[in-house]
Amino acid sequence: MTTVHSTDPTRTASPATADPVIELVQLARSFPGPPPVDALHPTDLTVRQGEYLAVTGPSGSGKSTLLNLLGLLDRPTSGIYRFCGTDLRELDEAGRTALRGRRIGFVFQSFHLVPHRTAVENVALAQLYVTGTRRERRGVAEAVLRRVGLAHRLDALPTTLSGGERQRVAVARALVNAPDLLLCDEPTGNLDSGTAGTVLDLIDDLHGDGVTVIVITHDPGVAARASRRVAILDGRISHRQDTAHGRDT
Ligand code: ADP
Ligand code: MG
């Protein structure tokens, strides 16, 4: 069976020297309007393997714009985005889609599970690039669900799961292709504070296992969990709280 997250030593390298997963060089996005909006002013940002970065900012500050760019759901107006060393300008749409599916796991505020499929089916459906029999695929999906503490809920439908369990299924789905980056958009936005804590504990654990995590949030309590924080306001990133080694300025 495929190991969900290996103990690859490069994954536990210290963040200061680990390879970059994300490198933004003067990356910018504006919308033509009218009126035109500079949703993201030219931004430099490096996120290395094994880092846990929170991006905070109020409504309208540019968080979704940044998330959409980082997740290859949108293209910049200008600047360079290198993902694990690949300059994304070199990829066509099919290449971008393949890279997104294989190497980025998404967790959204509202879970986005397929309602009439069980937990294990929801996870298995995301195994876009796993070959093998149905049984083998199910085995991998089960292993990831065990990893997020849902071994006892494999065959449950989303409607019978609590909010926290649904989000853990969504995290399992995000992890099933062993992505290079886990990109979370307000992962606790639809959860009460107790349940939110268990999902944040899980993200802490994954970070401890070497997974690279970016969480986008307006909630300072969520951001406090990360090992590195940047703020975004009016489309400009501020590194004032950024305490990571080798940070950009
Ligand atoms: P946040 O996610 O932090 O609430 P957004 O990234 O959604 O902020 O938006 C940042 C700014 O860009 C806002 O002024 C918003 O109105 C504007 N914006 C976002 N998407 C579009 C779009 N498709 N067309 C025009 N303006 C947009
Ligand atoms: Mg938003």
Side-chain angles (χ1 to χ4, degrees), residues 30-43:
S30 42
F31 295 104
V37 179
D38 291 324
L40 186 69
H41 290 269
T43 294

Side-chain angles (χ1 to χ4, degrees), residues 102-166:
R102 263 177 226 265
R103 302 180 67 172
I104 304 178
F106 291 91
V107 175
F108 298 104
Q109 177 169 353
S110 49
F111 322 134
H112 293 311
L113 301 177
V114 182
H116 53 281
R117 299 294 194 118
T118 64
V120 72
E121 286 168 351
N122 265 277
V123 176
L125 283 170
Q127 290 172 284
L128 301 177
Y129 305 98
V130 178
T131 52
T133 64
R134 211 180 135 158
R135 201 188 150 105
E136 285 165 343
R137 294 159 67 99
R138 184 179 162 108
V140 172
E142 286 181 5
V144 193
L145 282 165
R146 273 199 295 279
R147 174 65 191 86
V148 303
L150 288 178
H152 58 302
R153 303 296 268 146
L154 299 178
D155 297 311
L157 289 170
T159 46
T160 70
L161 296 171
S162 70
E165 288 173 334
R166 285 183 211 186

